[in-house]
Amino acid sequence: MTASVPVVALVIPVFNEAAVLPELFARLAALFDGGHGCAWRAVLVDDGSRDQSADLIRAQIARDPRFELVELSRNFGFQAALSAGLAHARGADAIVTMDADLQDPPEVIPALVAAWREGAEVVRATRRTRAETGLRRMGFDFFHVIFGQLSDYPVEPNSGTFGLLGRAAVDAFHQLPERNRFFPGLRAWIGFPTADVPYDRQERAAGKPQQTFRRLVRYALDG
């Protein structure tokens, strides 16, 4: 850590999430107002949204300078948006990565920070329960079975993007040359002391999932 009060940045890709952004802003602001011994930033990466997401983020920045916008020129996909946000958040002592749809509850973040302060450089939020059912749930389970058999560094099957990277882990991630990135796999590959924080994955706060089944299949093939 580089200061007595560490800077923790949240990196959140956003694609057509106008329906959920007001609640996301409110819950993040409540987290930030609580302090928790940190200085907070929220880096929202608009991944070529076709709705009012970028305008809503700009309005939030005008109200609260702890929020920042990285606006991509078109839709590049979740992994590219995540990488852009990680690059933008230089200067942070730790970076929390999460989805915008509030299935990953911001209220879990203080526990991620606590695990980091106890010495973990990589903190994974691991799901005790998850809201997905049917074909999507079967697809997730099947992917992790196959990936675990193929990979030398299997991914914790109950973890996803939600988690925290310390500065050393972020710097190592930036050195990786992959263009088609699979964030959970690369997070496992870089090593570093790792801790798990269990949580219950929620339903979307509003709207429909922006990751279609076709996109998820493509993401699995990238992995």
Side-chain angles (χ1 to χ4, degrees):
M1 303 179 195
T2 60
S4 57
V5 178
V7 176
V8 179
L10 280 58
V11 170
I12 309 172
V14 175
F15 178 63
N16 292 345
E17 294 288 7
V20 76
L21 284 178
E23 183 175 348
L24 176 66
F25 297 153
R27 289 169 66 176
L28 291 183
L31 168 69
F32 298 170
D33 290 343
H36 304 282
C38 299
W40 298 95
R41 300 165 57 193
V43 178
L44 295 108
V45 183
D46 184 71
D47 187 23
S49 295
R50 296 184 292 271
D51 63 2
Q52 299 303 307
S53 292
D55 291 336
L56 290 172
I57 296 169
R58 291 190 196 95
Q60 179 64 16
I61 293 169
R63 294 188 294 266
D64 189 338
R66 295 172 297 187
F67 289 78
E68 304 170 23
L69 171 64
V70 175
E71 192 169 3
L72 303 186
S73 59
R74 63 168 176 84
N75 178 242
F76 287 91
F78 183 89
Q79 297 298 305
L82 188 65
S83 294
L86 288 170
H88 181 82
R90 297 187 186 278
D93 297 292
I95 297 178
V96 173
T97 53
M98 62 183 290
D99 295 340
D101 58 13
L102 291 173
Q103 287 190 285
D104 301 331
E107 293 76 16
V108 176
I109 292 174
L112 303 179
V113 173
W116 168 63
R117 282 177 156 155
E118 290 171 2
E121 191 67 15
V122 175
V123 184
R124 301 176 301 197
T126 55
R127 306 172 186 115
R128 284 183 296 239
T129 60
R130 62 186 305 159
E132 292 90 353
T133 58
L135 187 60
R136 290 172 71 92
R137 177 61 182 271
M138 291 174 60
F140 285 128
D141 293 343
F142 179 72
F143 166 76
H144 282 291
V145 169
I146 298 299
F147 191 86
Q149 292 177 349
L150 294 176
S151 175
D152 293 331
Y153 298 91
V155 174
E156 159 59 48
N158 292 312
S159 67
T161 301
F162 194 24
L164 178 148
L165 299 176
R167 173 45 56 187
V170 174
D171 289 343
F173 186 85
H174 285 320
Q175 295 179 45
L176 300 177
E178 284 80 4
R179 292 180 178 271
N180 295 321
R181 290 184 160 183
F182 176 59
F183 179 77
L186 296 178
R187 182 178 60 189
W189 189 87
I190 60 175
F192 294 101
T194 300
D196 292 321
V197 172
Y199 78 108
D200 296 309
R201 189 162 168 83
Q202 308 294 309
E203 296 279 359
R204 282 183 57 88
K208 297 180 180 180
Q210 300 303 316
Q211 289 279 34
T212 64
F213 188 76
R214 181 178 179 181
R215 283 180 176 231
L216 290 173
V217 170
R218 185 181 305 165
Y219 178 42
L221 293 174
D222 284 344

